[in-house]
Amino acid sequence: MTLRKARPTPAQFVTGIRQGNRVLLGQAITLVESTLPADQDLAHTLLELLLPYTGNAIRMGITGVPGVGKSTFIETLGKHITTLGKTLAVLTIDPSSRLTGGSILGDKTRMEELSRNPRAFIRPTAAGDALGGVAHRTREAMLLCEAAGYEVIIIETVGVGQSEIAVRNMVDFFLLLMLAGAGDELQGIKKGIMEMADALVITKADGENKKAAREARGAYTQALHLVSSPSANEWTVPVLTASAITGEGFADTWATIERYCAHTKASGFFQATRGRQNINWFDDYFQQLLQADLQASVQAIRSELEQAVARQELSSHEAAHRLLRAYRDQARAL
């Protein structure tokens, strides 16, 4: 009979992660992604133990329109960052299969060169049913990577969507990638996404597309001037161009990110934003716990109400109120 290998203890996880053990880091991320109660208890303990070692990385979110080449851009930027002697973790959020819930695209296979880089760690995660282009446990995965000593964390989102603010609320710097030569440069862009961006980069600025990229840069610069409100951190959003083929623009992109972080740290905006994000995470976690508690405590009556609603014996509005009353009654009985 094959004996199952014992799971590492919280102390072993902490020691291994602090020493940069990639296997234990990967296991810890799998642990925080698990929905099993025992795994969640261990994950909670682990995150509390590692919390003092977090918060020292530059956190970046990168999003963009379909076809903009996010993975290629991140790989090239990641190689530039690691040549500067820094360590990098990339959390890639992929669309999920409705059948298995698993990741469809698998960005690790699309960043082959970076995945072999000893200074880089890439973790693809299925988005599941989470909104905002991020997975449910992206924040916890980010903290684990910081505890492992990674100096730069990049979160690649599924793509531009109505709830993209979710990633904006967990990073220090939000980068929006755009294409040139794809029709009307401004028609398809959402004002809200532009207002969240700390910088825009026009990708694939090479060959015959180089002229179009320069023209798009001017158009987006003008658009930002028109739609942007006065910035709380007194930062003027730059528009850059880059080519993963030639490598042009990536040094400027990284320099812009470093300049932004230095600027916001000097003004106190960086620290204030981190504080607000921590409070938002607290609120989100509480809502998740409350929802889970509600589902577990009133599951039986919920099923009955769902059947009544399906048979049109009860309105959705009335059923929701009855479910809430049932939950409150159970809460009072505790």
Side-chain angles (χ1 to χ4, degrees):
M1 183 176 67
T2 302
L3 295 177
R4 185 177 180 180
K5 187 176 181 180
R7 169 181 281 175
T9 64
Q12 290 172 328
F13 265 121
V14 170
T15 300
I17 289 171
R18 293 292 297 142
Q19 292 175 347
N21 186 313
R22 290 168 177 250
V23 174
L24 283 179
L25 175 58
Q27 290 178 357
I29 294 176
T30 299
L31 194 67
V32 300
E33 291 176 344
S34 171
T35 57
L36 296 176
D39 290 346
Q40 281 298 296
D41 289 343
L42 179 55
H44 173 75
T45 299
L46 182 57
L47 287 166
E48 287 300 306
L49 292 172
L50 288 171
L51 188 62
Y53 309 107
T54 66
N56 299 316
I58 294 176
R59 303 168 179 174
M60 292 175 53
I62 297 183
T63 191
V65 297
V68 77
K70 290 191 296 294
S71 296
T72 303
F73 180 90
I74 290 171
E75 179 168 48
T76 308
L77 180 62
K79 288 189 291 185
H80 175 75
I81 291 171
T82 56
T83 59
L84 299 175
K86 297 184 180 296
T87 53
L88 166 73
V90 181
L91 303 175
T92 67
I93 315 302
D94 266 354
S96 303
S97 165
R98 291 189 177 273
L99 294 176
T100 66
S103 173
I104 294 175
L105 300 179
D107 278 278
K108 197 165 185 178
T109 62
R110 292 184 288 167
M111 301 182 195
E112 292 183 8
E113 205 170 331
L114 190 61
S115 67
R116 295 193 298 268
N117 191 318
R119 304 189 69 83
F121 174 81
I122 300 176
R123 173 74 181 211
T125 307
D129 59 356
L131 295 176
V134 292
H136 283 295
R137 300 300 177 189
T138 301
R139 287 177 289 218
E140 290 92 333
M142 179 175 67
L143 294 176
L144 290 172
C145 289
E146 288 184 342
Y150 289 97
E151 298 166 281
V152 181
I153 313 291
I154 293 178
I155 301 174
E156 178 196 359
T157 70
V158 171
V160 174
Q162 291 182 342
S163 300
E164 203 69 11
I165 193 171
V167 69
R168 165 72 272 189
N169 285 339
M170 68 174 69
V171 298
D172 309 311
F173 188 91
F174 188 64
L175 183 63
L176 175 61
L177 305 182
M178 300 300 296
L179 281 170
D184 186 343
E185 310 298 351
L186 306 178
Q187 186 173 347
I189 192 168
K190 297 179 185 294
K191 178 181 176 182
I193 298 293
M194 289 185 68
E195 289 179 333
M196 286 191 292
D198 297 308
L200 269 67
V201 175
I202 314 299
T203 62
K204 304 181 182 181
D206 47 60
E208 296 180 356
N209 204 41
K210 197 166 187 176
K211 181 176 182 293
R214 287 197 301 267
E215 293 173 351
R217 180 179 184 178
Y220 285 124
T221 300
Q222 180 64 23
L224 282 166
H225 176 73
L226 294 174
V227 305
S228 295
S229 304
S231 175
N233 58 16
E234 299 181 347
W235 171 260
T236 300
V237 177
V239 182
L240 311 170
T241 60
S243 166
I245 293 177
T246 66
E248 292 181 28
F250 286 90
D252 288 343
T253 299
W254 178 244
T256 298
I257 295 164
E258 289 192 309
R259 189 169 68 253
Y260 175 88
C261 291
H263 170 78
T264 53
K265 285 179 179 179
S267 67
F269 184 84
F270 186 98
Q271 294 82 354
T273 299
R274 284 273 181 103
R276 287 194 299 272
Q277 289 175 348
N278 289 339
I279 293 173
N280 288 337
W281 297 355
F282 160 69
D283 290 338
D284 287 347
Y285 292 144
F286 178 70
Q287 291 297 325
Q288 290 174 22
L289 291 173
L290 190 63
Q291 180 69 17
D293 185 58
L294 170 62
Q295 298 285 3
S297 63
V298 294
Q299 186 58 47
I301 188 172
R302 178 190 175 96
S303 297
E304 294 177 6
L305 290 170
E306 285 178 346
Q307 293 174 25
V309 170
R311 294 191 298 265
Q312 292 188 325
E313 297 171 356
L314 200 63
S315 72
S316 300
H317 185 270
E318 175 60 22
H321 277 279
R322 290 190 187 184
L323 187 63
L324 179 61
R325 286 196 294 270
Y327 177 71
R328 286 174 174 171
D329 290 343
Q330 291 204 22
R332 292 191 194 99
L334 294 178

